[in-house]
């Protein structure tokens, strides 16, 4: 009786100090249960155990942040600098909604166009319900991220295989960089969740057996696109392009003749389109804009940068207006290469960068395995593989030519991993199968049964 009383008192105390913690505890259990409800017993235990460990580690990180923060100097602690902006701005919006007076400058910053997103209003709404929760908002991000990963796991396990799905689930839940921003009060966890929902609906759309189900799925995709547009600019275009491009890739990949014709026709079509002066002008303006953003990330942003342009462009921003054709080609090639290789282990500039080297090596391995997994993924399920490739390409294209800060690149590249890692799992499983079959057919392995037969005789 005393134990139950103490437990109840503890729950009440937590509820008073942090109501969002109670809501998180009540939400995370059904999220895990519902997303694992029809798995085999062994697989379900593995998924639930892995998810429970991942959630516990994330909650522990939030608690450690609270304990390590000197609240006599700052009102709350954050993992990243951008979180402070999101939390404070959402609190200002909450105070305005409740009629609580705020400073004139805070009122101006609360409604400034720069950085405006429905995510801010979501944070403000949550805090209107439960009160100011600068630490509880981290738990909201954890719930978003865990739900997104489990939805993607369910989408790929039936078609690409259970082992690749478990491989991807393990990486997404435990990889340090993903762990870091999945506990942050940033837009990434919500962005990943909305995209996981849209990808799941896209798979259902391609496999729907009735017109009614397809109509409902299309409505769901349109609604998600509209919501994502309010969270991040061009979010709707990303969802719709991901759907169309993914299904197109799947359609072409399973038809060798059409694939060959596409490969032959693509350069010709590219040359015809870019032979028009108005198209060339728009492309040149777009490249200049991207180059200017990259310049700002290298020269203006704090932290460690990496360069994509020739050296003559960095002394002044206006130099980007004089990009020539060969310089543009070098800029584009360096951007793609840097996206895959930065930060290079042999170019580390700080202790923090040195600590990141093991994960960078993991990224190299995952990228190589994904290249192998793409080939076998089309054999297993062309639709899922095509959608994963399309989403990864579109997310990469949004930042590959504009990033110039190493930390920002790592964070943006982490958004690609929720789609790439499943193909990496396919590649790993296929390589293991190939190695096992070649090992079993080696002369040494075929000699073992003969020796056993001689011994028995």
């Amino acid at each position: 009786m005393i134990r139950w009383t103490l437990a109840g008192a503890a729950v009440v105390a937590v509820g008073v100090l942090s109501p969002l913690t109670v809501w998180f505890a009540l939400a995370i259990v059904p999220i895990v249960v519902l997303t694992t409800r029809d798995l085999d017993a062994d697989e379900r235990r593995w998924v639930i155990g892995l998810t429970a460990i991942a959630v516990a580690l994330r909650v522990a990180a939030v608690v450690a942040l609270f304990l390590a923060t000197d609240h006599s100097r700052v009102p709350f602690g954050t993992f990243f600098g951008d979180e402070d902006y999101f939390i404070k701005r959402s609190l200002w919006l909450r105070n305005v909604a409740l009629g609580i007076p705020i400073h004139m400058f805070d009122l101006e910053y609360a409604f400034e166009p720069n950085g405006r997103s429905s995510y801010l209003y979501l944070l403000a709404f949550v805090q209107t319900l439960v009160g100011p929760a600068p630490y509880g908002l981290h738990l909201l991000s954890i719930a978003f991220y865990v739900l997104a990963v489990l939805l993607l796991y369910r989408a790929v396990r039936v078609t690409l295989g259970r082992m690749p799905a478990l491989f991807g689930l393990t990486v997404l839940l435990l990889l340090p960089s993903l762990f870091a921003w999945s506990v942050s009060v940033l837009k990434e966890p919500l962005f990943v969740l909305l995209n996981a929902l849209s990808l799941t609906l896209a798979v259902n759309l391609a496999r729907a057996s009735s017109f009614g189900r397809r109509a409902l799925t299309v409505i769901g995709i349109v609604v998600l696109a509209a919501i994502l547009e309010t969270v991040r600019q061009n979010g709707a275009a990303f969802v719709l392009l991901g759907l169309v491009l993914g299904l197109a890739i799947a359609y072409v990949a399973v038809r060798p003749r059409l694939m060959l014709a596409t490969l032959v026709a693509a350069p010709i079509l590219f040359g015809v389109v870019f032979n028009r002066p108005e198209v060339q002008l728009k492309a040149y303006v777009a490249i200049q804009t991207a180059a200017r953003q990259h310049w700002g990330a290298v020269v203006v942003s704090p932290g460690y940068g990496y360069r994509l342009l020739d050296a003559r462009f960095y002394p002044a921003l206006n130099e980007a207006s004089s990009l020539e054709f060969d310089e543009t080609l070098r800029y584009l090639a360096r951007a793609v290469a840097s996206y895959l290789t930065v930060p290079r282990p042999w170019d580390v500039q700080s202790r923090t960068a040195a600590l990141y080297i093991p994960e960078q090596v993991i990224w190299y391995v995952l990228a190589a395995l994904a290249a192998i997994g793409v080939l076998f993924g089309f054999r297993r399920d062309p639709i899922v593989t095509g959608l994963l490739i399309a989403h990864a390409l579109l997310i990469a294209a949004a930042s590959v030519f504009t990033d110039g800060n190493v930390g920002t690149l790592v964070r943006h590249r982490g958004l690609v991993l929720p789609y790439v890692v499943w193909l990496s799992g396919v590649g790993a499983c296929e390589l293991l199968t190939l190695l096992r079959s070649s090992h079993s057919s080696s002369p040494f392995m075929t000699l073992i049964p003969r020796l056993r037969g001689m011994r028995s005789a």
Side-chain angles (χ1 to χ4, degrees):
M1 184 65 181
I2 296 178
R3 292 180 180 178
W4 287 107
T5 303
L6 292 175
V11 172
V12 171
V14 171
V16 171
L17 294 174
S18 178
L20 202 53
T21 302
V22 177
W23 286 109
F24 170 78
L26 293 176
I28 199 68
V29 173
I31 285 175
V32 176
V33 170
L34 291 176
T35 52
T36 59
R37 63 186 183 277
D38 54 356
L39 303 181
D40 294 341
D42 291 339
E43 184 182 4
R44 188 180 186 190
R45 281 194 296 270
W46 176 264
V47 173
I48 291 177
L50 183 62
T51 306
I53 293 172
V55 170
L57 290 174
R58 284 165 168 79
V59 173
V62 177
V63 173
L65 174 65
F66 173 80
L67 296 176
T69 301
D70 184 0
H71 293 94
S72 63
R73 300 181 58 187
V74 293
F76 53 82
T78 57
F79 293 107
F80 301 98
D82 293 344
E83 291 178 279
D84 186 78
Y85 175 79
F86 279 106
I87 295 173
K88 286 184 177 179
R89 190 169 174 180
S90 65
L91 284 172
W92 296 333
L93 291 172
R94 168 192 177 270
N95 292 341
V96 171
L98 296 178
I100 300 174
I102 63 174
H103 196 276
M104 289 279 291
F105 288 113
D106 294 342
L107 181 63
E108 180 180 354
Y109 288 135
F111 293 98
E112 67 172 340
N114 184 33
R116 183 178 296 172
S117 169
S118 62
Y119 178 63
L120 288 168
Y121 291 90
L122 173 63
L123 299 181
F125 175 73
V126 170
Q127 294 181 99
T128 302
L129 296 177
V130 303
Y135 294 101
L137 293 178
H138 294 276
L139 303 180
L140 187 66
S141 296
I142 294 172
F144 286 159
Y145 183 77
V146 170
L147 177 57
V149 171
L150 290 175
L151 286 174
L152 291 171
Y153 171 79
R154 290 187 61 85
V156 304
R157 65 176 290 275
V158 177
T159 55
L160 297 185
R162 296 182 181 181
M163 290 308 299
L166 286 173
F167 178 94
L169 180 69
T170 304
V171 172
L172 293 182
L173 289 179
L174 300 181
L175 195 68
S177 63
L178 300 183
F179 181 98
W181 62 253
S182 68
V183 301
S184 66
V185 188
L186 299 174
K187 291 187 290 186
E188 276 82 353
L190 179 60
F191 180 77
V192 172
L193 174 59
L194 292 175
N195 282 299
L197 288 169
S198 67
L199 188 145
T200 303
L201 288 178
V203 174
N204 293 334
L205 175 64
R207 296 188 177 133
S209 57
S210 64
F211 177 79
R213 289 190 61 183
R214 289 181 179 176
L216 289 175
T217 304
V218 169
I219 293 173
I221 292 174
V222 172
V223 170
L224 282 173
I227 295 174
L228 196 54
E229 181 67 26
T230 66
V231 175
R232 176 168 289 184
Q233 189 177 7
N234 299 322
F238 173 81
V239 170
L240 299 177
L241 277 176
L243 171 62
V244 174
L245 181 60
L247 295 179
I249 291 174
Y251 184 82
V252 172
V254 296
R255 293 167 173 82
R257 293 183 179 178
L258 180 59
M259 183 187 297
L260 180 61
T262 303
L263 293 175
V264 173
I268 300 175
L269 181 62
F270 181 85
V272 171
V273 171
F274 277 86
N275 193 40
R276 302 175 62 182
E278 59 271 23
V279 176
Q280 294 177 6
L281 180 60
K282 290 181 179 179
Y284 186 64
V285 170
I287 292 173
Q288 280 188 342
T289 303
R292 290 173 182 271
Q293 288 182 265
H294 162 73
W295 185 94
V298 174
V299 178
V300 179
S301 298
Y304 296 99
Y306 61 95
R307 298 190 172 193
L308 305 178
L309 297 166
D310 290 355
R312 77 176 184 87
F313 293 98
Y314 291 99
L317 174 61
N318 292 330
E319 290 293 331
S321 301
S322 61
L323 266 171
E324 297 183 0
F325 182 74
D326 57 338
E327 294 172 329
T328 301
L329 292 180
R330 287 195 295 271
Y331 162 61
L332 298 177
R334 288 174 189 150
V336 175
S338 297
Y339 189 86
L340 295 174
T341 60
V342 171
R344 301 177 183 89
W346 50 89
D347 292 334
V348 293
Q349 302 173 11
S350 66
R351 291 183 179 180
T352 303
L355 293 174
Y356 183 76
I357 289 178
E359 184 171 333
Q360 182 67 6
V361 174
I362 293 175
W363 161 253
Y364 292 151
V365 174
L366 290 175
L369 290 175
I372 299 172
V374 166
L375 302 176
F376 295 96
F378 283 119
R379 294 183 182 179
R380 299 190 180 203
D381 191 300
I383 293 175
V384 172
T385 302
L387 288 170
L388 292 175
I389 293 173
H391 280 71
L393 290 176
L394 290 174
I395 291 177
S399 61
V400 62
F401 303 112
T402 58
D403 279 340
N405 181 276
V406 175
T408 305
L409 170 67
V410 170
R411 199 174 103 193
H412 286 166
R413 196 169 60 193
L415 293 174
V416 176
L417 276 176
Y419 309 99
V420 171
V421 72
W422 314 104
L423 299 175
S424 302
V426 173
C429 291
E430 292 293 343
L431 278 180
L432 288 175
T433 302
L434 180 63
L435 290 173
R436 185 172 58 185
S437 61
S438 62
H439 182 64
S440 61
S441 60
S442 65
F444 176 76
M445 295 301 294
T446 56
L447 183 62
I448 293 179
R450 297 180 184 178
L451 293 175
R452 289 177 179 174
M454 293 172 60
R455 184 178 298 176
S456 62

